[in-house]
Amino acid sequence: MAIVRISGPKAIDVASPLIRARSALEDLESHRLTRVTVVDPRDASPIDEALCVVMRAPGSYTGEDTVEIFSHGSPTLARMVLDRLIEQGARPADPGEFTRRAFLNGRIDLSQAEAVALLISARTERAVVLSARAVRGELSGRIQAIRESLVRIVARLEVALDFPDDEVRVDPAEIVHEINSLGDDIDRLVTASRRGLTVHSGLTVALVGAPNAGKSSLFNALLGRDRAIVTPEAGTTRDVVEGHIVIAGVPIRLLDTAGLGAPRDPIDAEGMRRARLAIEESDVLIEVVDGSAPYTRPTFDLQADKPRVMALAKSDLKPHPAARCPEEGIFTSVVTPGGVDGLMARLHLEVAEKSGKCLGEDMVGASTRQVELLQTLGGCVTRAAQALSTLPVEIGLVELRGALEAASSLLGVEVGEAVLDEIFSRFCVGK
């Protein structure tokens, strides 16, 4: 099925020449699906038997008069309908224009509009659920409550400054207590939004280790298909190989990297350089150690600030007496049934730790822009509390106004055209 949407004050007039129904298009009941014949306005020849719905302002998605035509799913047919509508005075929609109009007409706030984009691009069921909650206003409701509290606090402080002789006084300690409490709410929202961003954007997990440690075999086993080349010869992987899986409802970008050690040639050296870049961009590292071979101290250092999982590969083979088998290592085998189950369970814990262990935890669907603004909001509120404790009120007010500006930007209050252009440019046409 193809859906053609026309929105704007002349939507009904533009669509009418294409629609033949039991009554004229402008007389159809709003929000009621009707069977119609789509015709070519040039000669009234039938194009398709379709369904059509008229949604009158302000009760449509955009808040404007809207007509939607549900025709058979031929791309050529849909193109014909679009061309005929353009001949009647319509124009193609820009990416995200329908949602942008919904925002400009007050049907949704900017936070909800961004959630629509998240919902469209969601790659897992968990991301869909979080995005749908944000579309319904979960995030914007919490931001609105924070903004209202900031407005009240700023108003009280400004009145006290403007009318010092009228006995309009505020208790600084009480104000600081309110701001600190608000800061705690913002901190929780930042954590929740980071979890939501992780669920939507996903995590990168890299397999690293010495040449011939078993990284590529383990990579293929985690993917459930042969993606990387595996041979007995050390150093087969000379570049970063990428695959995708889902763990704990989070999309995972899995990277198989070249073995790190002493390079044999310039290609080896380049592969190791790319492996180190992969380590830098990864969220979790799987250090693969061959449990059937003597352990040699690695010539590479893993970043200490990243979560790391030790995988003891080739556990189906006889352990070498000089092998390194630390207690935290997880025995894995790609030839034994269930040989990677333990590693998957550990990865599940690592991913859950970063994204929230379950949907019941406090998390909200959020974009990168929203997370950054929430962090800015939290920083302003923290500095305001510190300033009001020791410095003149005017300095604290500067930080509170900055916090108010960040909250307003999240909701789309007094936001500039450039910001709107950037947000809606990421939408697909038709939304």
Side-chain angles (χ1 to χ4, degrees):
M1 176 178 288
I3 303 175
V4 178
R5 174 186 288 169
I6 313 103
S7 181
K10 296 183 178 180
I12 296 174
D13 293 339
V14 166
S16 288
L18 281 78
I19 302 300
R20 297 290 181 269
R22 64 178 183 270
S23 57
L25 187 65
E26 57 267 24
D27 296 329
L28 292 182
E29 183 181 345
S30 183
H31 291 77
R32 182 166 183 172
L33 205 59
T34 303
R35 184 172 179 175
V36 301
T37 300
V38 181
V39 302
D40 189 330
R42 297 176 298 187
D43 57 13
S45 60
I47 296 176
D48 191 25
E49 294 297 317
L51 298 173
C52 180
V53 62
V54 175
M55 291 171 280
R56 290 182 171 79
S60 70
Y61 177 73
T62 61
E64 304 169 330
D65 283 348
T66 301
V67 177
E68 292 187 358
I69 302 170
F70 303 81
S71 65
H72 291 90
S74 162
T76 302
L77 171 60
R79 182 73 259 175
M80 286 180 65
V81 174
L82 285 172
D83 288 343
R84 301 304 176 266
L85 288 168
I86 290 170
E87 290 170 3
Q88 298 301 312
R91 65 166 176 82
D94 294 327
E97 184 169 358
F98 292 108
T99 302
R100 183 170 185 158
R101 290 186 178 203
F103 162 68
L104 293 174
N105 291 326
R107 296 287 290 171
I108 56 176
D109 61 36
L110 192 58
S111 175
Q112 291 172 291
E114 289 187 74
V116 173
L118 290 175
L119 183 59
I120 294 168
S121 60
R123 292 179 286 168
T124 67
E125 291 185 8
R126 192 177 179 196
V128 166
V129 171
L130 283 178
S131 301
R133 283 172 19 188
V135 169
R136 292 196 300 270
E138 180 182 60
L139 176 58
S140 59
R142 295 172 69 169
I143 297 170
Q144 185 64 50
I146 291 170
R147 184 176 183 274
E148 290 172 357
S149 296
L150 285 169
V151 168
R152 287 194 296 269
I153 293 171
V154 169
R156 289 166 62 189
L157 290 174
E158 288 187 339
V159 167
L161 282 176
D162 291 342
F163 303 99
D165 300 327
D166 293 343
E167 296 186 355
V168 179
R169 303 183 184 279
V170 296
D171 181 357
E174 179 183 341
I175 293 292
V176 169
H177 177 74
E178 287 185 34
I179 294 174
N180 284 332
S181 178
L182 188 60
D184 291 339
D185 292 339
I186 295 170
D187 288 343
R188 285 190 289 270
L189 186 53
V190 168
T191 299
S193 66
R194 282 175 177 163
R195 289 171 175 167
L197 181 60
T198 297
V199 170
H200 184 81
S201 301
L203 297 170
T204 298
V205 177
L207 290 91
V208 299
N212 207 33
K215 298 184 296 299
S216 295
S217 296
L218 194 54
F219 174 80
N220 288 340
L222 292 172
L223 286 181
R225 61 188 178 91
D226 289 338
R227 175 73 175 83
I229 298 173
V230 177
T231 72
E233 181 182 350
T236 301
T237 302
R238 310 288 286 269
D239 202 349
V240 177
V241 182
E242 183 174 320
H244 299 271
I245 56 176
V246 175
I247 298 177
V250 177
I252 302 297
R253 177 174 170 245
L254 193 63
L255 304 179
D256 180 26
T257 64
L260 293 169
R264 298 170 299 176
D265 53 45
I267 298 177
D268 242 8
E270 176 61 18
M272 293 179 190
R273 185 188 72 83
R274 296 186 183 191
R276 291 187 174 90
L277 290 176
I279 290 173
E280 291 178 5
E281 67 177 279
S282 295
D283 302 288
V284 179
L285 301 176
I286 302 176
E287 183 181 359
V288 183
V289 176
D290 184 354
S292 67
Y295 174 74
T296 56
R297 180 174 296 279
T299 58
F300 58 91
D301 294 322
L302 297 181
Q303 295 187 11
D305 61 336
K306 294 183 182 292
R308 180 172 55 172
V309 179
M310 176 77 73
L312 303 174
K314 308 178 186 179
S315 63
D316 53 288
L317 302 178
K318 182 179 179 181
H320 194 282
R324 183 191 181 201
C325 298
E327 292 184 2
E328 71 273 15
I330 300 171
F331 289 94
T332 63
S333 169
V334 299
V335 298
T336 303
V340 297
D341 289 354
L343 178 59
M344 285 295 290
R346 175 63 184 279
L347 288 175
H348 192 285
L349 291 176
E350 293 290 344
V351 172
E353 185 67 29
K354 286 183 170 292
S355 65
K357 294 181 174 60
C358 63
L359 276 173
E361 288 194 68
D362 187 20
M363 64 180 72
V364 294
S367 67
T368 301
R369 187 191 87 96
Q370 289 170 327
V371 172
E372 290 173 351
L373 279 172
L374 286 169
Q375 291 171 334
T376 299
L377 172 60
C380 289
V381 167
T382 297
R383 292 190 295 273
Q386 294 170 346
L388 290 171
S389 298
T390 57
L391 300 173
V393 171
E394 290 86 348
I395 297 177
L397 268 171
V398 170
E399 295 293 348
L400 287 173
R401 291 191 188 103
L404 194 55
E405 181 179 345
S408 297
S409 184
L410 282 161
L411 295 170
V413 179
E414 298 177 359
V415 68
E417 285 294 315
V419 174
L420 295 182
D421 289 344
E422 173 61 24
I423 291 171
F424 290 106
S425 68
R426 296 192 293 269
F427 281 63
C428 61
V429 174
K431 282 295 179 182

Short mmCIF file of all heavy atoms in Angstrom, two decimals, residues 208-210 212-215 218 286-296 300 309-315 323-326 330 332:
data_model
loop_
_atom_site.label_atom_id
_atom_site.label_comp_id
_atom_site.label_asym_id
_atom_site.label_seq_id
_atom_site.Cartn_x
_atom_site.Cartn_y
_atom_site.Cartn_z
N VAL A 208 39.77 -8.12 20.96
CA VAL A 208 41.18 -7.75 20.82
C VAL A 208 42.04 -8.84 21.42
O VAL A 208 41.58 -9.64 22.25
CB VAL A 208 41.47 -6.40 21.50
CG1 VAL A 208 40.66 -5.28 20.85
CG2 VAL A 208 41.17 -6.46 22.99
N GLY A 209 43.29 -8.87 21.01
CA GLY A 209 44.21 -9.86 21.55
C GLY A 209 45.36 -10.10 20.60
O GLY A 209 45.50 -9.44 19.57
N ALA A 210 46.21 -11.07 20.96
CA ALA A 210 47.38 -11.39 20.15
C ALA A 210 46.96 -12.12 18.88
O ALA A 210 45.85 -12.64 18.78
CB ALA A 210 48.34 -12.26 20.97
N ASN A 212 46.27 -14.97 16.26
CA ASN A 212 45.91 -16.39 16.37
C ASN A 212 45.36 -16.77 17.75
O ASN A 212 45.39 -17.94 18.14
CB ASN A 212 47.12 -17.28 16.05
CG ASN A 212 46.69 -18.64 15.52
OD1 ASN A 212 45.68 -18.76 14.83
ND2 ASN A 212 47.45 -19.67 15.84
N ALA A 213 44.82 -15.80 18.45
CA ALA A 213 44.24 -16.10 19.76
C ALA A 213 42.85 -16.73 19.63
O ALA A 213 42.34 -17.31 20.59
CB ALA A 213 44.15 -14.83 20.61
N GLY A 214 42.24 -16.60 18.47
CA GLY A 214 40.90 -17.15 18.27
C GLY A 214 39.82 -16.09 18.17
O GLY A 214 38.64 -16.38 18.31
N LYS A 215 40.23 -14.85 17.88
CA LYS A 215 39.27 -13.74 17.84
C LYS A 215 38.25 -13.91 16.72
O LYS A 215 37.04 -13.73 16.93
CB LYS A 215 40.02 -12.41 17.66
CG LYS A 215 40.98 -12.06 18.79
CD LYS A 215 41.61 -10.70 18.60
CE LYS A 215 42.47 -10.65 17.35
NZ LYS A 215 43.60 -11.60 17.39
N LEU A 218 35.71 -16.65 17.34
CA LEU A 218 34.77 -16.22 18.37
C LEU A 218 33.83 -15.16 17.82
O LEU A 218 32.62 -15.16 18.13
CB LEU A 218 35.56 -15.68 19.57
CG LEU A 218 34.79 -15.47 20.88
CD1 LEU A 218 34.09 -16.75 21.30
CD2 LEU A 218 35.75 -15.00 21.97
N ILE A 286 36.51 -7.16 24.54
CA ILE A 286 36.66 -8.59 24.83
C ILE A 286 38.10 -8.95 24.54
O ILE A 286 38.53 -8.98 23.38
CB ILE A 286 35.72 -9.46 23.96
CG1 ILE A 286 34.26 -9.05 24.17
CG2 ILE A 286 35.91 -10.92 24.29
CD1 ILE A 286 33.29 -9.80 23.27
N GLU A 287 38.87 -9.19 25.59
CA GLU A 287 40.27 -9.60 25.41
C GLU A 287 40.30 -11.12 25.25
O GLU A 287 39.91 -11.86 26.15
CB GLU A 287 41.13 -9.18 26.58
CG GLU A 287 42.59 -9.52 26.37
CD GLU A 287 43.48 -9.13 27.54
OE1 GLU A 287 42.95 -8.56 28.52
OE2 GLU A 287 44.68 -9.41 27.48
N VAL A 288 40.72 -11.57 24.09
CA VAL A 288 40.73 -12.99 23.77
C VAL A 288 42.13 -13.55 24.01
O VAL A 288 43.12 -13.05 23.47
CB VAL A 288 40.30 -13.23 22.30
CG1 VAL A 288 40.24 -14.73 22.02
CG2 VAL A 288 38.94 -12.59 22.04
N VAL A 289 42.20 -14.59 24.83
CA VAL A 289 43.47 -15.25 25.17
C VAL A 289 43.36 -16.72 24.79
O VAL A 289 42.35 -17.37 25.10
CB VAL A 289 43.79 -15.10 26.67
CG1 VAL A 289 45.05 -15.86 27.02
CG2 VAL A 289 43.93 -13.63 27.04
N ASP A 290 44.37 -17.25 24.11
CA ASP A 290 44.40 -18.65 23.72
C ASP A 290 44.79 -19.51 24.91
O ASP A 290 45.92 -19.47 25.39
CB ASP A 290 45.40 -18.84 22.57
CG ASP A 290 45.42 -20.27 22.02
OD1 ASP A 290 44.73 -21.13 22.60
OD2 ASP A 290 46.11 -20.50 21.02
N GLY A 291 43.82 -20.28 25.42
CA GLY A 291 44.10 -21.11 26.59
C GLY A 291 44.87 -22.38 26.28
O GLY A 291 45.27 -23.09 27.19
N SER A 292 45.12 -22.67 25.00
CA SER A 292 45.84 -23.89 24.63
C SER A 292 47.29 -23.61 24.27
O SER A 292 48.01 -24.51 23.82
CB SER A 292 45.16 -24.57 23.44
OG SER A 292 45.28 -23.77 22.27
N ALA A 293 47.73 -22.36 24.44
CA ALA A 293 49.09 -21.98 24.07
C ALA A 293 49.77 -21.28 25.24
O ALA A 293 49.10 -20.76 26.13
CB ALA A 293 49.05 -21.07 22.85
N PRO A 294 51.11 -21.27 25.25
CA PRO A 294 51.81 -20.56 26.33
C PRO A 294 51.45 -19.09 26.33
O PRO A 294 51.29 -18.47 25.26
CB PRO A 294 53.30 -20.76 25.97
CG PRO A 294 53.33 -21.92 25.05
CD PRO A 294 52.03 -21.89 24.30
N TYR A 295 51.29 -18.56 27.51
CA TYR A 295 50.95 -17.15 27.62
C TYR A 295 52.20 -16.30 27.48
O TYR A 295 53.23 -16.57 28.11
CB TYR A 295 50.28 -16.86 28.96
CG TYR A 295 50.03 -15.39 29.20
CD1 TYR A 295 49.02 -14.72 28.52
CD2 TYR A 295 50.83 -14.67 30.09
CE1 TYR A 295 48.78 -13.37 28.73
CE2 TYR A 295 50.59 -13.32 30.31
CZ TYR A 295 49.58 -12.68 29.63
OH TYR A 295 49.35 -11.35 29.83
N THR A 296 52.11 -15.29 26.65
CA THR A 296 53.18 -14.32 26.54
C THR A 296 52.60 -12.95 26.84
O THR A 296 51.48 -12.63 26.46
CB THR A 296 53.79 -14.31 25.12
OG1 THR A 296 52.76 -14.07 24.16
CG2 THR A 296 54.46 -15.64 24.81
N PHE A 300 50.74 -4.83 23.91
CA PHE A 300 49.79 -3.73 23.79
C PHE A 300 49.14 -3.50 25.14
O PHE A 300 49.07 -4.39 25.99
CB PHE A 300 48.72 -4.04 22.75
CG PHE A 300 47.94 -5.31 23.05
CD1 PHE A 300 46.78 -5.27 23.79
CD2 PHE A 300 48.38 -6.53 22.58
CE1 PHE A 300 46.06 -6.42 24.07
CE2 PHE A 300 47.67 -7.69 22.85
CZ PHE A 300 46.52 -7.65 23.59
N VAL A 309 36.18 -7.73 29.22
CA VAL A 309 35.81 -9.11 29.48
C VAL A 309 36.93 -10.00 28.97
O VAL A 309 37.38 -9.84 27.83
CB VAL A 309 34.49 -9.48 28.77
CG1 VAL A 309 34.13 -10.94 29.03
CG2 VAL A 309 33.36 -8.56 29.24
N MET A 310 37.41 -10.92 29.80
CA MET A 310 38.47 -11.84 29.40
C MET A 310 37.84 -13.13 28.89
O MET A 310 37.11 -13.82 29.60
CB MET A 310 39.39 -12.15 30.59
CG MET A 310 40.46 -13.18 30.31
SD MET A 310 41.83 -12.49 29.36
CE MET A 310 42.63 -11.48 30.62
N ALA A 311 38.11 -13.47 27.62
CA ALA A 311 37.60 -14.71 27.02
C ALA A 311 38.76 -15.66 26.79
O ALA A 311 39.72 -15.35 26.08
CB ALA A 311 36.90 -14.41 25.69
N LEU A 312 38.69 -16.84 27.43
CA LEU A 312 39.71 -17.87 27.27
C LEU A 312 39.27 -18.79 26.14
O LEU A 312 38.43 -19.67 26.33
CB LEU A 312 39.90 -18.63 28.59
CG LEU A 312 40.26 -17.76 29.80
CD1 LEU A 312 40.28 -18.57 31.07
CD2 LEU A 312 41.61 -17.07 29.57
N ALA A 313 39.84 -18.55 24.96
CA ALA A 313 39.40 -19.26 23.77
C ALA A 313 39.98 -20.67 23.69
O ALA A 313 40.93 -21.02 24.40
CB ALA A 313 39.81 -18.46 22.52
N LYS A 314 39.36 -21.49 22.81
CA LYS A 314 39.82 -22.84 22.52
C LYS A 314 39.81 -23.73 23.76
O LYS A 314 40.70 -24.57 23.97
CB LYS A 314 41.21 -22.82 21.89
CG LYS A 314 41.34 -21.88 20.70
CD LYS A 314 42.74 -21.84 20.13
CE LYS A 314 42.88 -20.79 19.04
NZ LYS A 314 44.24 -20.71 18.48
N SER A 315 38.78 -23.57 24.60
CA SER A 315 38.71 -24.35 25.83
C SER A 315 38.42 -25.82 25.57
O SER A 315 38.51 -26.64 26.49
CB SER A 315 37.64 -23.77 26.77
OG SER A 315 36.36 -23.86 26.18
N ALA A 323 49.76 -21.69 29.97
CA ALA A 323 48.69 -20.78 29.55
C ALA A 323 48.27 -19.89 30.71
O ALA A 323 48.43 -20.25 31.88
CB ALA A 323 47.50 -21.56 29.03
N ARG A 324 47.71 -18.75 30.36
CA ARG A 324 47.19 -17.85 31.39
C ARG A 324 45.70 -18.07 31.50
O ARG A 324 44.95 -17.85 30.57
CB ARG A 324 47.48 -16.39 31.02
CG ARG A 324 47.01 -15.41 32.09
CD ARG A 324 47.06 -13.99 31.59
NE ARG A 324 46.64 -13.07 32.64
CZ ARG A 324 46.20 -11.84 32.43
NH1 ARG A 324 46.09 -11.40 31.18
NH2 ARG A 324 45.84 -11.06 33.41
N CYS A 325 45.25 -18.53 32.67
CA CYS A 325 43.82 -18.78 32.88
C CYS A 325 43.38 -18.07 34.16
O CYS A 325 43.20 -18.70 35.21
CB CYS A 325 43.55 -20.29 32.99
SG CYS A 325 43.95 -21.21 31.50
N PRO A 326 43.24 -16.76 34.10
CA PRO A 326 42.84 -16.01 35.31
C PRO A 326 41.43 -16.37 35.75
O PRO A 326 40.61 -16.83 34.97
CB PRO A 326 42.93 -14.55 34.85
CG PRO A 326 42.75 -14.61 33.37
CD PRO A 326 43.36 -15.89 32.92
N ILE A 330 36.55 -16.20 31.09
CA ILE A 330 35.39 -17.02 30.74
C ILE A 330 35.81 -18.01 29.68
O ILE A 330 36.27 -17.62 28.59
CB ILE A 330 34.24 -16.13 30.21
CG1 ILE A 330 33.82 -15.12 31.27
CG2 ILE A 330 33.05 -16.97 29.79
CD1 ILE A 330 32.86 -14.07 30.76
N THR A 332 35.68 -20.34 26.64
CA THR A 332 34.85 -20.33 25.44
C THR A 332 35.36 -21.35 24.44
O THR A 332 36.56 -21.67 24.41
CB THR A 332 34.85 -18.94 24.76
OG1 THR A 332 36.18 -18.64 24.31
CG2 THR A 332 34.37 -17.87 25.70
#
